[in-house]
Amino acid sequence: MKIIQDLQEMTAWSKEQTVAGKTIGFVPTMGCFHEGHLALMRQAGELAGQVVVSLFVNPTQFGPQEDLAAYPRDFARDQELAASVGVDVIFAPEPEDMYPAGCNTTVTVGKELTGQLCGASRPGHFAGVATVVSKLFNIVRPDLAVFGEKDFQQLAVIRRMTEDLNLGVEIIGHPIIREQDGLAMSSRNAYLQEAERETALSLSRALAMARTMAADGELHAESLTATLQKFILSFSGTELDYISFVDQASLQPVVEIDKDTVLALAVKINGRVRLIDNGFVAGGEK
Ligand code: PAF
């Protein structure tokens, strides 16, 4: 497995692969790999001849109140894990190369997709994501890119941006990978203290509860929301960011849920760890 830091070297490597007739599958990450990341890398490997994983903790998607410096990092472990699933290249650029002095362009996707859910409590976050992902696409030049469905709004934003800017990259969504007890895998789970681990299950259990209620005929988003709110707040230390039933494509709230409705949740635990989860609730496949 090659480690590339230099932006030009990365593009030159990709061009060589393309000239040699190989396709490139890309998995953008911020590192601290868990089984969820590895599943994305395996899928990229099944779909493309070469797999590139970027490892870059992107400063522009962190808000002023969010601790960029404390974001978990373990390059040696990440390198081993990526090699174990057959990744060909880790692209690990330096922040000053990605954002050199004078860099002054931001990619923003319209408010319909970015103004609500995580976008409401993290202003500027999706502009940071869209900007870095478009830069990474331009540097790595992949044929396809795989993103986790846990970051459901991010995936919708990236699909929109890729189509609107004609970036020519096929965007693949990978289903959420969960721990045995249902907790959606996330790098942020590393912040959870032992007692908070149980509280973190409030999200996946709320999803299961919504599915049961929907199967029993409760399809009214407002009533479902009220019940789920009570349920989540019954776990000690939970603070709700949002509970929202939205259309899977437009991300707009719905009144009555149906098979295209996604329940999206964001919960803060003990004021420190913000976790998200989502899933279809009424006859969908997730
Ligand atoms: O999902 C992430 O880890 C990040 O938002 C991404 C897509 C790598 C952009 O920095």
Side-chain angles (χ1 to χ4, degrees):
M1 189 178 68
K2 257 172 111 68
I3 311 289
I4 300 182
Q5 281 197 299
D6 183 78
L7 277 55
Q8 280 81 25
E9 188 186 341
M10 184 66 247
T11 305
W13 182 90
S14 291
K15 281 185 180 166
E16 269 170 35
Q17 306 309 310
T18 306
V19 168
K22 291 181 186 159
T23 52
I24 300 173
F26 180 40
V27 182
T29 81
M30 300 210 297
C32 193
F33 297 156
H34 50 67
E35 191 47 45
H37 293 110
L38 302 186
L40 307 184
M41 296 173 201
R42 284 193 201 96
Q43 183 166 20
E46 280 161 22
L47 297 173
Q50 299 286 302
V51 177
V52 178
V53 171
S54 64
L55 201 165
F56 179 63
V57 182
N58 174 37
T60 65
Q61 69 189 75
F62 285 77
Q65 311 306 326
E66 298 172 357
D67 200 352
L68 166 67
Y71 195 82
R73 292 164 168 90
D74 191 344
F75 188 64
R77 180 176 167 277
D78 284 349
Q79 218 175 302
E80 252 176 54
L81 286 171
S84 77
V85 293
V87 167
D88 297 286
V89 174
I90 288 193
F91 174 50
E94 292 295 336
E96 54 275 24
D97 293 333
M98 286 296 281
Y99 300 107
C103 181
N104 195 17
T105 301
T106 302
V107 177
T108 56
V109 172
K111 276 208 295 289
E112 292 74 14
L113 289 184
T114 58
Q116 70 290 57
L117 304 174
C118 293
S121 55
R122 304 184 72 189
H125 170 71
F126 287 114
V129 170
T131 303
V132 80
V133 171
S134 53
K135 283 168 78 73
L136 289 167
F137 281 179
N138 285 329
I139 297 161
V140 175
R141 313 209 175 171
D143 296 282
L144 60 93
V146 189
F147 293 86
E149 288 176 356
K150 184 175 74 66
D151 296 304
F152 147 77
Q153 187 175 15
Q154 168 172 283
L155 181 56
V157 167
I158 288 167
R159 282 194 201 285
R160 183 79 267 151
M161 172 193 82
T162 305
E163 195 175 325
D164 290 354
L165 298 182
N166 308 94
L167 297 180
V169 178
E170 186 187 352
I171 305 298
I172 315 269
H174 191 288
I176 298 176
I177 303 290
R178 296 182 180 278
E179 305 282 358
Q180 268 192 343
D181 60 8
L183 179 67
M185 288 195 184
S186 163
S187 304
R188 289 176 196 272
N189 295 351
Y191 296 137
L192 293 169
Q193 288 161 7
E194 213 175 306
E196 294 169 336
R197 187 62 184 64
E198 184 66 20
T199 306
L201 292 178
S202 56
L203 289 97
S204 55
R205 290 192 181 152
L207 270 168
M209 179 181 250
R211 287 191 182 114
T212 307
M213 289 175 73
D216 289 345
E218 177 57 272
L219 301 177
H220 196 57
E222 211 177 290
S223 329
L224 285 160
T225 304
T227 307
L228 297 180
Q229 181 164 342
K230 257 197 206 149
F231 175 72
I232 291 176
L233 293 177
S234 72
F235 286 74
S236 81
T238 49
E239 191 187 313
L240 268 177
D241 184 347
Y242 59 77
I243 297 180
S244 203
F245 288 91
V246 297
D247 176 74
Q248 64 161 331
S250 69
L251 306 193
Q252 297 308 305
V254 300
V255 175
E256 290 284 314
I257 66 165
D258 63 22
K259 66 173 183 31
D260 294 318
T261 305
V262 170
L263 166 57
L265 301 169
V267 174
K268 216 170 193 177
I269 298 176
N270 288 333
R272 290 186 316 110
V273 189
R274 186 178 175 280
L275 298 178
I276 58 173
D277 202 343
N278 71 82
F280 289 108
V281 278
E285 281 165 13
K286 244 182 207 173

